[in-house]
């Protein structure tokens, strides 16, 4: 990396913790201190760990010589970081969505939609972390194109969250686990989200949580977050089988019932939707149970998969 050796383009990706961007070997930008970098062997790994492609060395274009249609799609995401680029928009710009999807899958190990999602979320998280206008970054503005998402932060709050006493606060932090990087969200009442950063449902869950808890998302941690980190560490070391940390899981009474039953499955054992439905005394609700499992926002602690 210090030699800017072009032979290592695409062999490693380096995340710079101070700026949250990731680079390829030849980047011309000033070299960061060793303690501020993290090395990854794949593009996807750098992305799911919260880094954004560097604007100087452009890993998206240069790491694996993208054809012109992929370059165009990447450019569209960069220019519209908060907008969802649908297949329809791609077609309007003369791009074949199937070709784009295939290229992303083959070269980055993820779909174009997943790439966009990570890009949006990483941007939003970084802005929140920097304390940049939470009004515009509370994981909602600009997402009006996503289905089921009908409000913007302004509409919801009408004023800055700093001055707002009526709104609750959700604190978001990112942690690393042996299974991959995760987001953890907490309110004063407990943990309300624990999800892998590449989870497809993430944006829906963020907006759902904000609506249900009448809250805004800000960067930070509280005592519940700290307790969870400690318990997760013990869990992954094999020293813990049950979690004591408090949860705050808003949902319908049916969903809550389903999640409660999930929580009762003993460590190391599995269950089925059918068994869950019978336990709920509603043996025909198998599909509804499956759906409610899918809506669970607190993975590992409420073991849904
Ligand atoms: Zn760079």
């Amino acid at each position: 990396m210090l030699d800017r050796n072009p032979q290592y383009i695409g062999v490693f990706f380096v995340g710079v913790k101070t700026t949250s961007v990731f680079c390829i070997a030849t980047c011309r930008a000033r070299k960061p201190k060793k303690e501020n970098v993290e090395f990854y062997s794949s593009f996807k790994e750098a992305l799911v760990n919260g880094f954004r492609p560097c604007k100087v060395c452009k890993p998206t274009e240069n790491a694996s010589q993208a054809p012109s249609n992929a370059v165009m799609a990447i450019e569209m995401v960069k220019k519209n970081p908060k907008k969802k680029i649908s297949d329809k928009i791609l077609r309007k710009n003369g791009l074949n969505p199937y070709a784009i999807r295939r290229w992303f899958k083959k070269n980055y190990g993820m779909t174009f939609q997943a790439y966009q999602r990570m890009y949006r979320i990483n941007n939003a998280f970084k802005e929140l972390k920097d304390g940049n206008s939470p009004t515009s970054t509370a994981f909602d503005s600009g997402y009006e194109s996503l289905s089921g998402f009908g409000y913007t932060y302004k509409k919801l709050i009408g004023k800055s969250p700093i001055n707002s006493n009526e709104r609750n606060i959700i604190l978001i932090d990112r942690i690393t686990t042996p299974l991959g990087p995760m987001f953890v969200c907490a309110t004063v009442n407990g943990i309300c989200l624990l999800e892998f950063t590449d989870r497809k449902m993430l944006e829906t869950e963020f907006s759902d949580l904000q609506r249900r808890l009448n809250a805004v998302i800000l960067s930070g941690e509280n005592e519940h977050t700290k307790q969870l980190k400690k318990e997760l560490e013990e869990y992954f070391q094999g020293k813990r089988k049950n979690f004591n940390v408090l949860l705050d899981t808003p949902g319908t009474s049916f969903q809550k019932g389903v999640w409660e039953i999930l929580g009762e499955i003993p460590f190391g054992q599995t269950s089925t939707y059918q068994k869950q439905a019978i336990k709920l005394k509603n043996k025909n609700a198998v599909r509804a149970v499956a759906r409610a499992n899918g809506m669970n926002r607190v993975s590992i602690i409420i073991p849904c998969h």
Side-chain angles (χ1 to χ4, degrees):
M1 183 193 170
L2 292 177
D3 294 344
R4 298 190 170 94
N5 186 339
Q7 284 191 346
Y8 288 91
I9 290 177
V11 174
F12 69 80
F13 297 86
V14 58
V16 184
K17 287 183 237 167
T18 44
T19 54
S20 295
V21 301
F22 71 96
C23 296
I24 52 176
T26 51
C27 188
R28 286 178 289 105
R30 203 162 57 89
K31 295 298 174 193
K33 288 189 185 139
K34 198 176 174 190
E35 62 265 30
N36 290 331
V37 300
E38 203 75 64
F39 285 92
Y40 300 104
S41 54
S42 77
F43 181 94
K44 184 183 177 184
E45 227 183 314
L47 210 56
V48 296
N49 276 283
F51 295 94
R52 299 162 300 154
C54 169
K55 282 179 180 154
V56 178
C57 60
K58 301 190 174 100
T60 27
E61 290 94 321
N62 297 327
S64 47
Q65 285 174 341
S68 61
N69 61 346
V71 170
M72 235 179 111
I74 288 162
E75 200 59 35
M76 284 166 78
V77 176
K78 212 189 306 174
K79 280 188 185 142
N80 310 284
K82 286 178 179 173
K83 198 173 157 196
K84 192 179 172 189
I85 315 282
S86 63
D87 284 1
K88 202 173 148 197
I89 296 175
L90 287 177
R91 269 193 221 101
K92 247 189 210 161
N93 284 269
L95 297 172
N96 177 343
Y98 303 105
I100 300 288
R101 193 171 309 152
R102 254 199 318 274
W103 188 84
F104 269 83
K105 205 77 202 142
K106 182 160 177 261
N107 289 277
Y108 294 165
M110 63 174 86
T111 65
F112 180 52
Q113 298 305 335
Y115 169 76
Q116 286 188 53
R117 196 170 57 242
M118 297 303 307
Y119 195 93
R120 281 197 298 270
I121 289 173
N122 288 353
N123 265 310
F125 187 74
K126 173 74 174 123
E127 279 181 43
L128 283 178
K129 231 177 155 182
D130 292 348
N132 277 351
S133 60
T135 39
S136 63
T137 53
F139 284 109
D140 57 7
S141 63
Y143 296 135
E144 61 279 349
S145 57
L146 293 182
S147 62
F149 194 85
Y151 61 84
T152 66
Y153 183 84
K154 271 248 159 66
K155 256 190 241 161
L156 185 70
I157 307 287
K159 54 183 165 180
S160 156
I162 311 298
N163 309 320
S164 172
N165 300 322
E166 307 102 81
R167 298 293 152 176
N168 299 307
I169 302 286
I170 296 169
L171 291 172
I172 184 168
D173 199 9
R174 188 172 25 224
I175 55 174
T176 38
T177 75
L179 294 177
M182 300 182 89
F183 280 122
V184 51
C185 291
T187 66
V188 288
N189 299 320
I191 298 298
C192 57
L193 180 141
L194 177 65
E195 287 283 23
F196 293 98
T197 58
D198 59 355
R199 160 111 159 135
K200 206 173 173 182
M201 292 284 288
L202 213 42
E203 285 170 317
T204 312
E205 291 179 349
F206 285 144
S207 60
D208 196 42
L209 268 181
Q210 289 180 102
R211 189 174 45 80
R212 285 182 183 274
L213 294 172
N214 187 26
V216 292
I217 298 176
L218 298 174
S219 168
E221 58 170 5
N222 63 17
E223 71 268 33
H224 301 301
T225 322
K226 285 178 197 157
Q227 187 184 341
L228 173 64
K229 286 178 185 172
K230 195 171 156 279
E231 291 187 9
L232 272 177
E233 206 179 302
E234 293 164 357
Y235 176 81
F236 282 116
Q237 285 170 354
K239 294 176 187 161
R240 169 181 288 278
K241 291 181 177 173
N242 296 299
F243 292 87
N244 299 326
V245 69
L246 294 176
L247 301 180
D248 186 2
T249 53
T252 64
S253 58
F254 181 80
Q255 286 173 334
K256 285 186 172 181
V258 170
W259 298 338
E260 211 166 287
I261 285 173
L262 277 175
E264 288 168 6
I265 301 172
F267 178 89
Q269 291 187 28
T270 59
S271 187
T272 63
Y273 298 146
Q274 180 78 64
K275 278 186 202 160
Q276 267 182 285
I278 291 167
K279 255 194 161 176
L280 275 169
K281 299 188 174 49
N282 195 348
K283 68 177 170 52
N284 295 321
V286 178
R287 287 178 118 180
V289 164
R291 232 181 352 258
N293 278 11
M295 296 300 286
N296 169 33
R297 308 176 202 94
V298 188
S299 60
I300 297 177
I301 302 177
I302 300 177
C304 56
H305 293 96

